[in-house]
Amino acid sequence: MAYLQPSDYTNYGLPATTTADWITAATALINSYCRRPDLNVIQYTERLRVTAGSQTVHLSYLPLASLAPATLPLVSIQGRYARPRRGEMVDTPMLELASAFSLPGQWVTLDPTTVDFDPNTGELTLPWNLLGLPYNEVSVTYTAGLSTIGDDVLSACAQIVRNAQAQPALNSKSSKLDTMQMQYFSSSLIDETVQAWLRPYIANRLG
């Protein structure tokens, strides 16, 4: 969905006669720059490595937000028990018991309500399981995005359109603007001001 609606155009310095293709292309360029399909609240699934000795992971898409009131942004979580590294000794009764039943390497479902999380940083702190086994990988399904598209994103969208309309190669009345044209000129369309507005919403990692 385009971030700017016709009723917003004049409020953000665009002519009321601006056609929808400009806004649609600018919206697609914003999503591409932020490395995500949309800035609205949608569902993501990520598989993340857990650093040895740590109980935390960081999600890529921020901020964490719920799709509906009274629901958690964490939809489901699975953790995989860590296997001992080569040369590591299994020297505790619990670890010996776990190894006897081949638990290391298995995936288990975690209760999302037992996972501590920061919606702004995307940091998850995993709970310890009863056997005290660490996790080396987690698969997290969660929801993230903006419940309301704010002035920073709306201003960025309008600025991209203004920058594009200032490009002679783009400001052609004879052909319909498309996303590929905008992508080609993205280095000049997403100026420092636009980058500053969009910085909080860029995905933390590729993929």
Side-chain angles (χ1 to χ4, degrees), residues 77-181:
I77 305 176
Q78 288 188 312
R80 186 171 70 172
Y81 291 132
R83 292 182 180 276
R85 294 180 178 178
R86 182 178 299 177
E88 289 182 346
M89 296 295 294
V90 179
D91 55 1
T92 68
M94 280 298 186
L95 288 178
E96 290 177 354
L97 180 63
S99 295
F101 285 94
S102 300
L103 288 179
Q106 288 191 9
W107 287 90
V108 293
T109 299
L110 306 181
D111 182 356
T113 63
T114 65
V115 177
D116 186 42
F117 66 91
D118 186 322
N120 295 314
T121 65
E123 181 181 77
L124 306 187
T125 302
L126 306 173
W128 287 99
N129 57 73
L130 294 177
L131 293 176
L133 290 174
Y135 302 106
N136 67 355
E137 196 170 8
V138 292
S139 177
V140 186
T141 299
Y142 64 101
T143 52
L146 300 175
S147 301
T148 302
I149 300 298
D151 285 337
D152 48 0
V153 176
L154 299 179
S155 297
C157 188
Q159 185 63 45
I160 289 173
V161 172
R162 285 193 293 270
N163 291 345
Q165 290 176 338
Q167 290 277 353
L170 285 170
N171 196 13
S172 172
K173 304 299 183 183
S174 61
S175 62
K176 183 177 176 63
L177 183 76
D178 62 36
T179 304
M180 291 301 295
Q181 286 176 294

